[in-house]
Structures are given as C-alpha cells and as structure tokens.
Amino acid sequence: MAERRLILLAALSLGLAALYLGWGLRQPLGYILGLRTGRLAQLVLVGASIGAATVMFQTLAGNRLLTPGIIGFDALFVALQTFLVLILGGGGYAALSVLPKFLIETASLTAAGLLLFGLMLRKGASDLLRLILTGVILGVLLRGLASFAQRLLDPSEFAVVQQASFASFGPSPLPLLVIAAFALALALAAALRLSALLDVATLGRDAARTLGVDHDRLVLASLAVIALMVAVSTALVGPVTFLGLLAASLAHSAVPGHRHRHLIPAAALIGAAILIAGQFTFERLLGLQSSLAVIVEFLGGLLFLALILRRHPA
C-alpha cells in the first residue's frame, strides 16, 4: 500500500513538472526550456530537502508541530544578510558573486547547526528539549541583533536587506544548482540509510537503547543531515518556515504506518509538488512572480494553528 502511494506521489510530481515545463511553451524553445528547467530544479531541491528534514526532525523531537526552522536557521540567515550589507554596503553586497555568497551562507548555517548540536547534546541525546529551547532563544537573539543592525543602514541598504531576507524562487546559476543537488542527494541518501533506525527511535530513547540502537549517535547523525539539508535549501532561496510542516503533515496522512523509508520520500515528493504547483499557479496562470513564499507561509501557519487547536481543544 505504501509503495503504491509513493508511486502515485512520484507520478503526481512528474506530471506537475511536465505541466510546468510545457505550459504555454513557445519560441525560442531552447532558451525558455533552459530557464524553466533551472527553476524547476530549484523548486524540487528545496521542497524535497525541507520535507525530508522536517519528518526527521519531528521524529527526533517526538512532536509533529515542530520544524527545523525553530532552532534558529531562519534567524541566522536574516542576520547574515544584514551584516553582509552592513559590512560591504549595498553596492558591495549587490556585486558579491552568487556562488561565493551561496557557499558562505551554506557553510555558516551548517557550521552553526553542528556547533549548536555538539554543544547542547554533548551529554547525550536525552537533552534534546534543551537543544530546542536554546535554538528558540538564539533565534530571538539573532533577530534582535539583526533588527538593531538594520537601524544603522540607510534606506536603500535596508531595502536590499529586506529583499534578501525573504524566500525568492528566482533563477539560479547552473554551478550553484549542481552543488546544491550534489549536497542534497548525499543528505537524502544518508537520511534513507538512517530510516530503519529512525523507526526504532520513535519508540523513545530507553526503548531504542534496549533494542540495541545507539540513540545518542543516531540523533547526532540525523541532526547533521538535517542541518545540511536546511542550510543548503535556505541558502538557495531563503527561509521557508512552514513548508516542511505542510509536507510532513501531508506525508503522514498520505502514507500509512510510521516507516521512515516511506515517510521521508513521501515528504520529499510532497514538498516538491507543493512548490511546483504553487509556482505554476502564480507564474503561469496568475502572472505573479513573488507570491509563492507568502502563500506557503500563510497555509503553513493555518495548518500549525489547526494542529494546535486539535491537540488542545478548548
């Protein structure tokens, strides 16, 4: 049953991709297809990585209301944009090459995540709650520092920061997409290798250790994979906080059972399908360019509220 539904999800994603590439295609075919293929690759990479990362994070945290963004990746990304503009100026930031900027952001986000995980979990993965709370506090601190730094900018530089701080699904250079695809393919392969152990981790730390699983090592390895996936996707387009919540919730509904070898690919396919369908709707049907991230965040926020109200009825 689960395999059949995965095949249906894959067929849906492929159908949406074909629709996105072929709708209204006209001359010059090669140029237009090149632009659409690049953007399609970006949508697939971001949606798949955020969906898979969120499923893994929710399993480790034991809570389906959480996303990796709660640890502070989004706040760190905004702080990086702010301080780059503050140091380089608006002109220097605009002149910064896309590839070095992507590599700096990816390395900074990944290193910050690994440092936080290593410091907070050095006494064992049982301290995962302290990790989440520390991430929330650091996120608030980083947002405060970024807000203070933004007050030091002139209006034109502040506009540059504002534009860079929101998710943008614009075209990305081919070298950047190749690097992102390679990194995310490795991360997704590692996630699938850990899927059987994650099934055991859902039973809890004590039960997992009783069954012979090194729970602490599993948590650290999984968090490293999550950090890489979130860092690459955030550096590629910017923060998309609630996309993972949408993809993970739909994956749990679409795929019966709790086997991560089904849930992880399902969340990846659903995350990609959400972005492709959304971009197709706004770009092809409505002629809009920058509404996708706003709508995804809006729908994700509504889902978050619905999940909270369902768990804690008045």
Side-chain angles (χ1 to χ4, degrees), residues 6-86:
L6 282 177
I7 293 173
L8 291 175
L9 287 174
L12 173 63
S13 299
L14 288 174
L16 288 171
L19 186 63
Y20 179 81
L21 289 176
W23 182 275
L25 194 60
R26 59 186 183 276
Q27 296 292 342
L29 294 180
Y31 176 74
I32 294 177
L33 273 176
L35 290 178
R36 292 186 180 183
T37 302
R39 182 166 291 182
L40 176 64
Q42 182 189 77
L43 295 170
V44 171
L45 290 173
V46 172
S49 59
I50 292 179
T54 303
V55 166
M56 295 177 67
F57 187 78
Q58 290 178 349
T59 295
L60 298 178
N63 191 321
R64 293 189 188 176
L65 295 177
L66 300 180
T67 68
I70 199 172
I71 297 180
F73 283 106
D74 298 350
L76 178 57
F77 178 81
V78 173
L80 280 173
Q81 309 309 309
T82 301
F83 286 107
L84 280 174
V85 173
L86 184 65

Side-chain angles (χ1 to χ4, degrees), residues 280-293:
F280 171 79
T281 300
F282 290 109
E283 183 180 330
R284 300 283 183 269
L285 301 183
L286 302 180
L288 304 177
Q289 298 297 324
S290 59
S291 301
L292 176 57

Side-chain angles (χ1 to χ4, degrees), residues 123-136:
K123 294 182 180 180
S126 59
D127 217 5
L128 194 60
L129 178 60
R130 187 162 69 103
L131 166 67
I132 296 172
L133 293 176
T134 303
V136 172

